Amino acid sequence: MHRLIRFLKEWTLPVAIVVGAGCYLTFHYVPQLAAAGNVLGPIIDIVFPVFIFLTLLVTFCKVDFHQMLPHRWHGGVLAAQLLLIGANIAVILYVADDPEQKLLWEAVLTCIIGPSASAAPVVAGKLGGNINTMITYTLLSSLASAVLIPTVFPLLEQTVHVSFLAAFWLILQKVALVLLLPLFLGWLIQHHARSLCQRITAMPNLSFYLWSVSLAITTGVTVRNIVGSDASLSLLLAIAIASLVLCFVQFAIGRGIGRHLGEEVNSGQALFQKNTGLSIWVAYMYLHPVASVGAGCYVLWQNIINSLELWHYRRTGGKSL
């Protein structure tokens, strides 16, 4: 039992991925469970944002709000994101006459243009990063994506009939609910419910385990999108491989920027760990449901890399990859 508990603690993220995928596949392929799956589906849709909210609230209770200031690595990572977006758009325009190739690169674009994951500060904190500057970047990144998404995608897909302001407002609403509200409540708890704040901060891994539950749910949704996709197997494999390569590219670029600008861990997590939930929404709103497979695969790859980072960090006594 002790070994099992230790294994679960050390490999929480892969276990969450396996549990999420296994649960969905079980309910999908076992006919006797179909009715139960139909009942649990809407419940999970409600539970998922609650766990994201609680994950961030617990994290924000530990934040030093006085240190949430802009840092020069923020500008470096945002500049790298813009360059990657520009390069990807050039490729999309080049292959515009090939529908499958265009869809492949649009799926990749959703994984670049999305903001830094709301839970990125959780992993950065586990890796010895600076949670304060990471949260600041997450806010800046969300605002940047709210501007970039309704600007870029209507240029690529002329059939989109969503105004810039309408899309901008929708994205801000999504970000505010899962990011700004828990940030504000975290500040309130710190200043007006100190005993509760002390109890929360006394459990340093609470936010990580809450986030792992969210990851299991996200994995189940990702597997559902892949199983239910009507795309060819070759296109699905191409999207999965492209998203894996993109994961390593963004991770390496982010770490490289961080080495020069002072926060290697934060910079790496900021560029490569994406808000894939928003990316999936972007794919459905502007592109094609198949494009959402890119963000779905990306969330699996990024959390496998996160697991390897955490394993290496523990094994080396605090040294990052």
Side-chain angles (χ1 to χ4, degrees):
M1 181 61 71
H2 177 71
R3 287 186 177 181
L4 176 61
I5 294 173
R6 182 180 177 183
F7 174 82
L8 292 175
K9 286 183 176 179
E10 291 184 350
W11 298 100
T12 304
L13 301 186
V15 169
I17 291 172
V18 171
V19 168
C23 285
Y24 172 76
L25 292 173
T26 300
F27 279 95
H28 181 75
Y29 286 109
V30 178
Q32 293 83 354
L33 297 176
N38 293 333
V39 173
L40 290 174
I43 296 174
I44 290 174
D45 290 339
I46 296 172
V47 168
F48 176 66
V50 171
F51 271 93
I52 292 288
F53 182 89
L54 291 174
T55 300
L56 297 177
L57 178 60
V58 170
T59 301
F60 295 156
C61 285
K62 306 172 186 177
V63 171
D64 184 347
F65 288 87
H66 297 292
Q67 293 187 23
M68 284 183 57
L69 300 172
H71 194 283
R72 56 180 183 166
W73 70 265
H74 294 163
V77 172
L78 284 173
Q81 184 182 20
L82 288 173
L83 289 174
L84 288 171
I85 290 170
N88 199 313
I89 290 173
V91 174
I92 291 172
L93 295 176
Y94 180 75
V95 301
D97 294 332
D98 187 330
E100 281 208 352
Q101 283 294 311
K102 185 182 179 186
L103 188 54
L104 165 64
W105 289 101
E106 285 181 338
V108 171
L109 181 58
T110 63
C111 302
I112 299 173
I113 204 169
S116 181
S118 300
V122 177
V123 179
K126 292 282 287 184
L127 293 169
N130 188 323
I131 295 179
N132 305 308
T133 58
M134 190 68 205
I135 292 173
T136 303
Y137 177 79
T138 304
L139 294 170
L140 293 173
S141 174
S142 298
L143 182 59
S145 292
V147 174
L148 288 169
I149 289 168
T151 300
V152 169
F153 283 102
L155 298 176
L156 299 175
E157 295 292 337
Q158 300 300 324
T159 57
V160 175
H161 300 292
V162 182
S163 70
F164 173 87
L165 288 177
F168 178 79
W169 178 242
L170 280 171
I171 294 169
L172 282 186
Q173 284 180 307
K174 289 178 176 293
V175 170
L177 186 61
V178 298
L179 191 60
L180 296 181
L181 183 57
L183 184 65
F184 174 67
L185 290 178
W187 180 86
L188 282 179
I189 291 173
Q190 276 195 29
H191 291 82
H192 301 287
R194 294 185 178 179
S195 60
L196 175 60
C197 185
Q198 289 174 355
R199 291 181 182 179
I200 292 173
T201 55
M203 297 180 283
N205 292 318
L206 179 59
S207 59
F208 182 70
Y209 293 130
L210 287 170
W211 176 54
S212 299
V213 175
S214 303
L215 174 59
I217 297 172
T218 302
T219 302
V221 173
T222 297
V223 174
R224 181 189 67 189
N225 291 340
I226 294 172
V227 171
S229 174
D230 57 357
S232 65
L233 180 60
S234 60
L235 178 57
L236 292 175
L237 286 174
I239 291 174
I241 293 170
S243 63
L244 174 60
V245 172
L246 178 64
C247 242
F248 282 106
V249 168
Q250 293 194 123
F251 180 80
I253 292 174
R255 282 297 182 98
I257 292 170
R259 261 184 230 109
H260 291 288
L261 298 180
E263 287 196 26
E264 184 177 353
V265 170
N266 278 10
S267 185
Q269 295 303 127
L271 187 59
F272 114 94
Q273 193 171 341
K274 295 293 186 178
N275 185 334
T276 51
L278 185 60
S279 296
I280 290 171
W281 174 80
V282 167
Y284 275 96
M285 182 172 183
Y286 287 104
L287 304 172
H288 187 281
V290 174
S292 69
V293 174
C297 292
Y298 193 95
V299 72
L300 301 181
W301 303 138
Q302 76 177 10
N303 283 292
I304 290 171
I305 293 175
N306 281 335
S307 299
L308 293 173
E309 282 188 284
L310 292 168
W311 170 79
H312 185 270
Y313 187 79
R314 289 190 303 267
R315 184 172 175 267
T316 58
K319 293 181 181 179
S320 60
L321 282 173

